[in-house]
Amino acid sequence: LTLSYLFAMVVAESLSDWLYHSGGVDGPLRETMDKYFDSFPRTFITILLASAHGILWGDIFDLLEHVNWWLGPLFYGYILVMNLGTLNLISALFVDAVKQVSIVDQHFKLTEQSFRVEDLVLGQMKSLFEACDRNKDGSISRDVMVEVLQRKDAKSILKELSLDIASMRAMFKLVDSEQWGSVLIADLCEAVTQLQGS
């Protein structure tokens, strides 16, 4: 708007000088000039409408060239700058909107993935381990864990989690930091879930 205001001031001042030096103009040219430029607010609105494609540029260009030869090219320069600025603004808004959609989509995928990991680990894998809990104390030994993971249904869970028996042995060792030889099933499953979430 600042650029439009400044350009409207230049046009209004040039038009005022032109009317003063030409001794007044009557007829259709004067009527057309008054239609678009009879006051500063009308000049400002004309400039804004032209930049927003509400008035034909050629009509305004012809009128401004009557006033001064350099006003026509200056007008086209103004239109060019305004349109490029508008295109840049639209492009920036579009890029920002795409970025926001991408962030939401990524968040949705991560949420969906975390639900799937929870189902695989805390649902299916944990159930397999609990079914083999002979003492019913909520713990599992390394050997029993390996035995469970060699079953077909457990292998498919590991494959979907991009894990293997060796990585599960390493996970068991991390959870069994005091080397008791057994860990709580809940702790082991929680460690696997956290590994998948990182």
Side-chain angles (χ1 to χ4, degrees):
L1 282 177
T2 303
L3 183 61
S4 299
Y5 183 83
L6 291 173
F7 187 70
M9 284 180 56
V10 169
V11 169
E13 184 65 30
S14 298
L15 191 63
S16 173
D17 286 348
W18 178 71
L19 286 172
Y20 178 76
H21 291 298
S22 66
V25 177
D26 291 324
L29 180 60
R30 178 60 185 244
E31 289 174 15
T32 308
M33 288 288 192
D34 285 347
K35 177 181 173 184
Y36 292 115
F37 306 112
D38 72 336
S39 65
F40 180 75
R42 170 120 25 202
T43 302
F44 184 59
I45 290 170
T46 297
I47 298 303
L48 286 177
L49 285 174
S51 65
H53 307 280
I55 299 174
L56 293 175
W57 298 341
D59 294 346
I60 303 301
F61 178 83
D62 292 341
L63 290 173
L64 292 177
E65 272 203 326
H66 274 94
V67 174
N68 204 323
W69 69 268
W70 54 266
L71 272 179
L74 185 63
F75 171 71
Y76 277 136
Y78 160 79
I79 292 297
L80 179 68
V81 168
M82 291 300 289
N83 281 300
L84 287 177
T86 302
L87 287 175
N88 282 339
L89 177 64
I90 290 170
S91 296
L93 290 173
F94 176 75
V95 167
D96 186 55
V98 168
K99 182 179 174 185
Q100 294 300 322
V101 168
S102 174
I103 289 170
V104 168
D105 187 49
Q106 184 179 13
H107 180 69
F108 178 73
K109 284 179 183 176
L110 288 173
T111 303
E112 191 176 270
Q113 181 183 359
S114 69
F115 283 136
R116 182 65 184 147
V117 167
E118 282 186 25
D119 176 55
L120 288 168
V121 177
L122 299 179
Q124 299 176 37
M125 185 183 284
K126 187 175 181 185
S127 296
L128 290 174
F129 290 155
E130 287 173 342
C132 295
D133 181 11
R134 296 179 185 118
N135 301 332
K136 303 297 181 202
D137 61 356
S139 64
I140 190 169
S141 69
R142 193 183 117 199
D143 294 337
V144 173
M145 179 195 74
V146 171
E147 181 184 313
V148 170
L149 294 176
Q150 288 175 342
R151 293 174 27 189
K152 186 177 180 181
D153 49 356
K155 284 183 179 179
S156 68
I157 294 170
L158 288 178
K159 184 177 181 183
E160 197 164 341
L161 292 170
S162 301
L163 296 173
D164 56 18
I165 293 176
S167 58
M168 287 299 293
R169 281 186 181 131
M171 185 67 61
F172 187 95
K173 190 173 183 179
L174 284 173
V175 175
D176 187 21
S177 58
E178 296 181 13
Q179 299 179 356
W180 290 100
S182 67
V183 296
L184 290 174
I185 294 170
D187 291 346
L188 181 62
C189 290
E190 182 64 30
V192 174
T193 304
Q194 288 180 3
L195 173 72
Q196 293 294 309
S198 61

